[in-house]
Amino acid sequence: MEKTFVMLKPDALQRHLVGQIISRIESKGYKITQYKSALLTEDLLREHYAHIVDKPFFPQVLEYMTSGPVLLMKVEGENVVLGIRKLMGATKFENAEPGTIRGDFALSTEANVIHGSDSVENAEIELKRFLD
């Protein structure tokens, strides 16, 4: 059984979208086997977003991701990494198709409601980082 990491970002919690998003994940047949709410620290976010720390927009990402609690989840199922990526939709707000989580709920590319691991290898790293 494949595992992936999914994070519902602060805007998902602030806008009371958690139930609708979890319903979509579970309706696909995936199982949420672990979850917790957390307030993310700057150090943890710098580790997670190491690939963009030096970008000019990183301070806005940091401000957004520390603006409230997030929901951290381990999700399991067959081909779950790819399946969750398809459910989420494109990262860029303007490219997210209607019917995807981001297409239906994201307000911008910055406030795009959800994160999901992009590979089995990264899922393992992110699950250890956020849930172990």
Side-chain angles (χ1 to χ4, degrees), residues 27-55:
S27 292
K28 272 304 250 192
Y30 301 128
K31 292 184 179 162
I32 299 167
T33 57
Q34 185 179 354
Y35 64 92
K36 72 177 181 181
S37 177
L39 289 169
L40 302 180
T41 65
E42 181 174 339
D43 288 344
L44 186 60
L45 289 165
R46 285 183 176 280
E47 180 184 338
H48 181 63
Y49 290 116
H51 60 290
I52 62 165
V53 167
D54 60 345
K55 302 286 186 196

Side-chain angles (χ1 to χ4, degrees), residues 87-100:
L87 272 178
M88 289 190 320
T91 301
K92 289 191 174 190
F93 167 74
E94 60 274 13
N95 297 336
E97 294 290 328
T100 65

